[in-house]
Amino acid sequence: MPTLEVRLFGTPRVELDPVGSLHLPPTSQALLAYLVSQRQHSQPRDVVAAALWGDIDNSHARRCLNTALWRLRRVVEPPGVPRGTFVLSTANGHLVFNDASDHWVDLVAFEQRATSVMDGARVGLDAAGAKQLKDALRLYVGDFLEGVYEDWALNERLRLRDLYEAALAKLIDWYEQSGDAQRAIRYARELLRANPLREEIHRLLMRLHGAAGERSLALRQFETCKRVLAEELDVAPLPETVRLAVRIAQGGEPEQTSRTLDIAAVVAELQRAREQATALSQLIDRSLAALGVDAAD
């Protein structure tokens, strides 16, 4: 039986062994991605049509689905490959990806590896779990199905992004607790590239740089945090972030704090702390000036 390889992170790619790389029209590519993401349950055709073509009338959407399905099957199930090998139509006409087929999907591999570690490591990781998380993270080369903006794709993108960030946070915590500051810094920067609003990760980088005697890097991270929050949320850093920066600027030893917070809670706390943080932020500006550190760096 042929093997189907589907990559949905970043730029989508589909390969059929031994045929090679396949060219799918965008609508058929989106249909395949939808069926893969919903692989646990068969989907009524009207539901699939509404998800992918919800901005047009039902009859037109159904015709679009039929065309996309015909094109998808023609490519992934060419002559010699039995119909239903990868895309099944049930007795009641529902559609479902054939999860029993010979296939590999980056989304599935990422989710299985990451969740198995996260579910089994509620307290902490071990070396094997850390390696498995790193293997999972290597699969996440970009957001799910880039360029598709239907609600179902956006929801799936956010769900997978949340898992990606949670895996990174768990790995950061593992390296910090293991005393490997450089790897903790590396993955913290990767997390901030994905979500620069994670203020607790800015604080983590400040602590790690401060503990290593890199005060200028720690204070520069604070300035980055302050700028991002002002530009994206129009808020100031939390008081605890400002206090940490003051302590580092004055030569104090950074304290260990609680490690990761839910992003929704962070944003809510940011809103509440805005006025309190303004006065403290002025204090850090004075400390920076006394050290001769340019706040614009």
Side-chain angles (χ1 to χ4, degrees), residues 226 235-239 242 273-286:
K226 187 163 66 170
V235 297
L238 288 169
V242 179
R274 181 182 178 186
E275 292 185 359
Q276 292 177 287
T278 300
L280 289 172
S281 186
Q282 293 172 351
L283 175 60
I284 186 60
D285 286 340
R286 291 195 295 271

Side-chain angles (χ1 to χ4, degrees), residues 30 50-55 145 147-155 157:
L52 274 68
W53 294 277
D55 56 345
L145 210 59
V148 177
Y149 299 103
E150 282 82 8
D151 286 346
W152 74 270
L154 291 174
N155 290 336
R157 192 173 301 153

Side-chain angles (χ1 to χ4, degrees), residues 139-273:
L139 297 172
Y140 196 102
V141 298
D143 282 336
F144 170 78
L145 210 59
E146 291 178 350
V148 177
Y149 299 103
E150 282 82 8
D151 286 346
W152 74 270
L154 291 174
N155 290 336
E156 187 71 355
R157 192 173 301 153
L158 290 173
R159 184 185 71 81
L160 292 166
R161 172 73 76 90
D162 286 346
L163 180 57
Y164 171 66
E165 290 188 23
L168 276 172
K170 182 70 74 172
L171 202 55
I172 292 164
D173 180 58
W174 157 257
Y175 280 120
E176 184 186 12
Q177 299 306 309
S178 299
D180 193 337
Q182 290 308 307
R183 282 197 171 90
I185 287 172
R186 170 191 165 189
Y187 286 106
R189 294 203 178 282
E190 184 175 339
L191 179 47
L192 284 181
R193 281 194 294 272
N195 188 347
L197 299 180
R198 293 287 293 264
E199 188 174 351
E200 81 280 17
I201 303 301
H202 286 281
R203 282 198 301 273
L204 169 64
L205 283 170
M206 291 165 62
R207 290 203 316 273
L208 291 172
H209 285 308
E214 300 168 334
R215 282 202 294 165
S216 63
L217 291 178
L219 295 173
R220 190 170 295 134
Q221 190 65 46
F222 171 73
E223 291 301 322
T224 298
C225 175
K226 187 163 66 170
R227 173 178 53 78
V228 168
L229 293 177
E231 291 176 353
E232 299 296 328
L233 299 176
D234 192 26
V235 297
L238 288 169
E240 62 191 279
T241 305
V242 179
R243 286 194 296 268
L244 174 60
V246 170
R247 192 161 57 247
I248 293 171
Q250 295 176 344
E253 186 71 18
E255 297 176 358
Q256 287 288 334
T257 59
S258 58
R259 295 189 285 267
T260 54
L261 301 173
D262 179 79
I263 186 62
V266 171
V267 173
E269 194 172 4
L270 280 168
Q271 299 288 355
R272 293 194 301 271

